[in-house]
Amino acid sequence: MSISSENSARHEVEETLHTVLYPGTEIMTDVGHIHFKHGTSHQVLVPQPSDDPSDPLNWSPLWKGLSMGGMAISSFTCLFSPLSVAPQVPYYMAEFKASLPDVINFIGITILVLGFSNIIWVPFSRAFGRRPMLTAATLVTIASNIWRAKANTYNSFLGACILSGIGAGPGETLGPILIADVMFLHERGLYVGLYSWAAWSGVIIGPVVAGITAERYGWRAFWWVCTALSCFSLVYQLLFLPETKWPRRHAAIAHGHLPEISTNSAPSNTSGEKIETTQIENQNPASLSQEERAIATEIVVKLSGKPNKRQFQLWSPLDKEEPIIASIILPFKLFAFPIIQWSSFVFSWCASCFLIINITQSQAFAGPPWNFSPAAVGYTNFAVFVGALISLVTAGPFSDWVSMRATKRNKGIREPEMRLIALVPYACCTLIGSLIMALGYQRGWSWEAVVIGGYTLLGIQLAAVSAISTTYAVDSYKSVAGEFLVSATINKNLWAYGLTKFLNVWIEDVGYVGPIMMNTGICLFFISLAIPLAFFGKRMRGWTKDSFVHQVK
């Protein structure tokens, strides 16, 4: 459909429903004589898929599942190794004759480089495609793991950490880009939850494996394990993760009356995509309920497409419509967007709650009253993993359900702000989990209370709050999903680098409660800003409705 036709249809909807359709506001129902393509579950498909079966939106459930599986595996393996140093701290201190702050610097420098690496990776994905970007990043990760396994000096290992940070960047940004390319609006909450869980699971499980491997086979063996995982990820990407970048599409909206086609017929369009127009035969239209009449006029699309050979190429030609310099500058322009900034800060400080666990667990549990071994310290991360797993099965589906309920009450019009109410239970997890951890450390509570109670609750909030805030930003500014996370990771990793420099020393001076609860207070402050956003977020989107970001491919 042409841009003028789309704008005309949008204006008709606004007139019919007496509402303003700012970018991010989506129509989830047919309106008057305007009919959208629906899925087989009678859900309006947003964005509307094209007629090309190679369009990632038209891929069959099998190929979409393989793509999302590749997204999860890649996010997990990219982030598995960078922050896994914590349980191995005593080994590095002995190997390189370094102090605790010097070894913690391995974590800090990796975090810092990781945050800024996406300034290059995301424009790379715009110019050359998602698949070449991910392949290159995985090769860098493999090289860094081999380097770490063979490093014999402090400076050599530090150099490998820098390379590791470069390779790990796409683990934090690629997920939402692929989800926006392949999945529809009503599915985003679930799959952003999957991305968040996979990414954080890599960060969480890495230290567990690091501690066990170092204790049994030596610290170098862990980096060979990381190498093997990254090689597996590379093979999966090459076989099952095709290119998902697709030219910017306009909504396909059908006007006027639909032809009388029975549900038994399934005509195909020119590309072979099956389309059905559901009709209830032998019924007097006047006798049908409003819901039955709506279902009877739906354009139902059965998604059965698949990638073409071009989408499996190792390298894509440069997209001349995506200037690399402009793409590099774009994330910094997004700092002026209030919704992007809020999502970035929430993402950053939820992550910092876990980073505090990562930085303090050896300092706390290796000494009295617990006297844990490095492997035992690593095992404590299983509690964070269980918490993240709980968020996987609750946060995405819960926020999608909340949004759908609110959409039905709003006459089929969905606003991104509708999912923000889902943050409430997870904000409570942030507060309670941090309190248990801080007081447990300080007062020497049983490890069960600190780990099973505090760590698990923080694992829940870690994946859930970041997933909901990320989905809100993607819903509001889908065309810059990757650039939003560049902004978020820069915020997160600058703060995280600072924590690695001062947190352990501050804790030695004043104890655990003050530093940990300071970070928690900042996190809860940013989460609480969801309250004004729930009321005024749409108005803020209106401020940017004519922005260039909505024209980005």
Side-chain angles (χ1 to χ4, degrees):
M1 162 172 281
S2 67
I3 297 176
S4 59
S5 298
E6 183 182 343
N7 290 337
S8 175
R10 180 171 288 267
H11 179 71
E12 181 178 339
V13 172
E14 290 179 332
E15 290 292 320
T16 302
L17 299 179
H18 307 290
T19 189
V20 179
L21 301 181
Y22 292 135
T25 301
E26 300 291 356
I27 310 162
M28 304 298 290
T29 185
D30 292 338
V31 179
H33 294 298
I34 299 174
H35 299 277
F36 298 94
K37 293 179 179 178
H38 293 64
T40 53
S41 61
H42 305 292
Q43 182 72 255
V44 169
L45 301 178
V46 178
Q48 290 277 279
S50 69
D51 293 335
D52 191 327
S54 297
D55 181 347
L57 289 176
N58 283 325
W59 287 352
S60 67
L62 172 62
W63 277 107
K64 289 195 175 197
L66 289 171
S67 299
M68 292 298 98
M71 176 268 295
I73 292 170
S74 300
S75 297
F76 179 89
T77 54
C78 279
L79 299 172
F80 182 81
S81 60
L83 302 182
S84 297
V85 168
Q88 299 179 325
V89 164
Y91 297 100
Y92 296 121
M93 292 175 68
E95 178 77 23
F96 302 125
K97 296 178 175 56
S99 65
L100 175 63
D102 287 338
V103 173
I104 293 296
N105 194 44
F106 290 151
I107 301 174
I109 198 69
T110 305
I111 289 170
L112 189 64
V113 174
L114 193 159
F116 284 93
S117 69
N118 284 306
I119 295 175
I120 302 300
W121 286 125
V122 172
F124 186 103
S125 75
R126 282 196 175 279
F128 296 102
R130 305 3 172 171
R131 183 174 162 91
M133 180 263 271
L134 189 55
T135 301
T138 305
L139 290 172
V140 171
T141 299
I142 292 171
S144 71
N145 289 332
I146 295 173
W147 186 357
R148 289 219 242 196
K150 290 182 169 292
N152 292 315
T153 66
Y154 178 89
N155 287 334
S156 178
F157 196 90
L158 188 64
C161 290
I162 293 172
L163 189 64
S164 175
I166 295 172
E172 291 196 328
T173 54
L174 187 67
I177 296 175
L178 293 180
I179 292 165
D181 286 344
V182 176
M183 308 312 295
F184 295 107
L185 173 63
H186 65 279
E187 302 167 321
R188 281 184 202 154
L190 173 62
Y191 287 99
V192 172
L194 174 63
Y195 144 76
S196 182
W197 172 79
W200 288 119
S201 292
V203 176
I204 294 163
I205 296 298
V208 178
V209 179
I212 298 169
T213 308
E215 186 173 83
R216 296 185 181 180
Y217 307 106
W219 65 266
R220 294 181 190 275
F222 171 70
W223 301 108
W224 291 116
V225 172
C226 295
T227 302
L229 286 174
S230 295
C231 288
F232 168 76
S233 177
L234 179 63
V235 172
Y236 187 101
Q237 294 160 18
L238 295 177
L239 296 178
F240 302 117
L241 186 54
E243 179 58 60
T244 63
K245 184 181 178 184
W246 195 257
R248 180 165 53 89
R249 54 183 67 81
H250 301 286
I253 302 175
H255 293 272
H257 296 287
L258 296 167
E260 299 293 330
I261 304 176
S262 136
T263 56
N264 294 324
S265 92
S268 297
N269 58 18
T270 56
S271 67
E273 180 186 52
K274 291 184 178 179
I275 297 180
E276 291 182 352
T277 305
T278 305
Q279 295 290 330
I280 299 178
E281 300 182 76
N282 303 319
Q283 287 275 5
N284 181 359
S287 67
L288 299 177
S289 68
Q290 182 177 355
E291 183 176 353
E292 288 173 329
R293 284 197 298 271
I295 293 175
T297 56
E298 286 180 357
I299 304 173
V300 180
V301 178
K302 288 187 176 180
L303 304 177
S304 56
K306 62 181 180 180
N308 57 37
K309 291 182 180 180
R310 179 184 56 80
Q311 289 168 308
F312 280 99
Q313 292 177 351
L314 289 178
W315 193 261
S316 302
L318 174 67
D319 187 344
K320 296 181 180 179
E321 295 184 19
E322 297 279 8
I324 293 180
I325 299 301
S327 297
I328 292 174
I329 296 172
L330 180 56
F332 297 98
K333 292 183 178 180
L334 296 180
F335 279 100
F337 291 64
I339 289 172
I340 294 291
Q341 276 307 293
W342 175 80
S343 299
S344 297
F345 281 114
V346 170
F347 182 89
S348 301
W349 261 268
C350 287
S352 72
C353 290
F354 170 71
L355 183 64
I356 284 181
I357 294 176
N358 194 267
I359 293 174
T360 61
Q361 59 186 177
S362 283
Q363 183 181 15
F365 284 120
W370 302 287
N371 299 312
F372 280 9
S373 67
V377 171
Y379 285 137
T380 63
N381 286 283
F382 273 124
V384 188
F385 175 74
V386 170
L389 188 62
I390 293 171
S391 76
L392 170 65
V393 299
T394 60
F398 178 55
S399 68
D400 282 342
W401 177 80
V402 168
S403 296
M404 187 55 63
R405 295 266 298 183
T407 300
K408 290 179 179 178
R409 291 196 300 268
N410 197 39
K411 301 178 182 178
I413 303 299
R414 174 175 289 191
E415 307 289 356
E417 291 75 23
M418 290 174 174
R419 71 174 68 246
L420 293 178
I421 190 66
L423 286 168
V424 172
Y426 303 108
C428 295
C429 291
T430 305
L431 176 60
I432 298 170
S434 296
L435 280 171
I436 293 173
M437 179 175 66
L439 293 173
Y441 281 165
Q442 188 70 36
R443 299 179 181 180
W445 289 357
S446 68
W447 70 265
E448 292 91 343
V450 178
V451 174
I452 299 175
Y455 283 18
T456 301
L457 287 172
L458 288 174
I460 293 172
Q461 73 84 32
L462 172 69
V465 177
S466 58
I468 294 170
S469 63
T470 298
T471 306
Y472 175 49
V474 173
D475 287 351
S476 300
Y477 300 98
K478 185 183 79 69
S479 59
V480 289
E483 284 76 10
F484 145 66
L485 280 170
V486 173
S487 171
T489 54
I490 288 174
N491 282 341
K492 172 176 71 70
N493 291 14
L494 279 174
W495 175 250
Y497 181 73
L499 282 180
T500 65
K501 289 297 185 183
F502 71 77
L503 186 68
N504 294 100
V505 178
W506 188 13
I507 287 172
E508 289 177 0
D509 290 340
V510 303
Y512 289 97
V513 175
I516 291 174
M517 294 314 296
M518 177 277 299
N519 185 79
T520 304
I522 296 174
C523 180
L524 290 172
F525 166 73
F526 285 121
I527 293 175
S528 70
L529 293 179
I531 298 173
L533 278 175
F535 293 97
F536 303 109
K538 183 173 182 177
R539 183 178 302 176
M540 292 179 182
R541 287 187 287 117
W543 298 342
T544 61
K545 64 182 176 65
D546 298 320
S547 171
F548 68 95
V549 301
H550 301 296
Q551 304 304 317
V552 175
K553 288 176 66 175

